[in-house]
Amino acid sequence: MFTSVLMIEKPLTPEDVEFVTTLHGEEQISFVVLMQPRGDQADVLLRAIDDVALGELKDAVRENEEPEGRAAREPAAIALEYSLQELRKAGAEAVGQVIEDHPLDALKTVVEESGADEVIVLTAPHYVEEFFHRDWASRARHKVGVPVLKLFAHNE
């Protein structure tokens, strides 16, 4: 069985589920999903700059309305459970956890403990962080010892 660690920051859409479950053809896949709640991995200004770069001005203005920190834990847990259910419905094995502190350290540990074959970082574009190679995928490539694939999540 092929094992992928899947890092996400929002619930998987049906398109995301289909994409990640068919990446390796007919091979049976097991996912370990790591959900990072909003708040600690990027600040409001960086997210607003990304929104402006994507032409989503209304989203940039509403960045401060999104729950962060402790307030983001419950929505993250709900999003994780939904995503796990959808992966299972698609025929994959799936377990997961919400990670809050030091997501890349947690990623390294999960990769080692699960014997993962790859890491998939499924995220919205974060242009500022990507430009400076501070995004999850860029930083993970130097830490985990397995291939890291960066994919852009579909919008709801």
Side-chain angles (χ1 to χ4, degrees):
M1 179 169 299
F2 195 86
T3 302
S4 294
V5 176
L6 178 60
M7 291 188 74
I8 61 174
E9 55 190 5
K10 65 179 190 170
L12 296 175
T13 65
E15 294 86 0
D16 294 331
V17 171
E18 180 180 356
F19 191 48
V20 299
T21 57
T22 60
L23 274 175
H24 300 288
E26 298 297 315
E27 189 164 5
Q28 186 67 10
I29 301 178
S30 171
F31 290 98
V32 180
V33 182
L34 302 179
M35 166 63 82
Q36 170 77 40
R38 287 178 57 114
D40 295 331
Q41 83 273 19
D43 69 14
V44 174
L45 178 60
L46 289 178
R47 289 193 307 265
I49 291 170
D50 287 336
D51 290 338
V52 170
L54 291 168
E56 298 170 354
L57 300 177
K58 291 180 182 178
D59 290 339
V61 173
R62 289 193 295 263
E63 277 298 335
N64 65 343
E65 297 172 7
E66 293 291 327
E68 295 190 11
R70 291 184 188 274
R73 288 180 189 165
E74 185 176 343
I78 293 168
L80 172 64
E81 189 54 40
Y82 171 81
S83 297
L84 294 174
Q85 289 174 8
E86 293 303 305
L87 288 167
R88 291 175 190 139
K89 283 181 193 174
E93 291 183 13
V95 296
Q97 63 183 359
V98 174
I99 53 171
E100 297 180 55
D101 297 321
H102 312 289
L104 293 173
D105 292 337
L107 174 63
K108 182 177 181 180
T109 300
V110 167
V111 166
E112 291 169 356
E113 290 177 356
S114 67
D117 298 294
E118 71 180 358
V119 171
I120 300 172
V121 177
L122 188 66
T123 181
H126 297 292
Y127 294 117
V128 174
E129 291 172 333
E130 289 169 23
F131 180 79
F132 292 106
H133 302 285
R134 301 301 303 154
D135 59 298
W136 285 351
S138 296
R139 291 169 39 204
R141 285 186 180 104
H142 303 288
K143 203 161 188 132
V144 297
V146 297
V148 176
L149 179 61
K150 180 178 183 172
L151 303 173
F152 290 119
H154 290 81
N155 292 327
E156 292 85 23

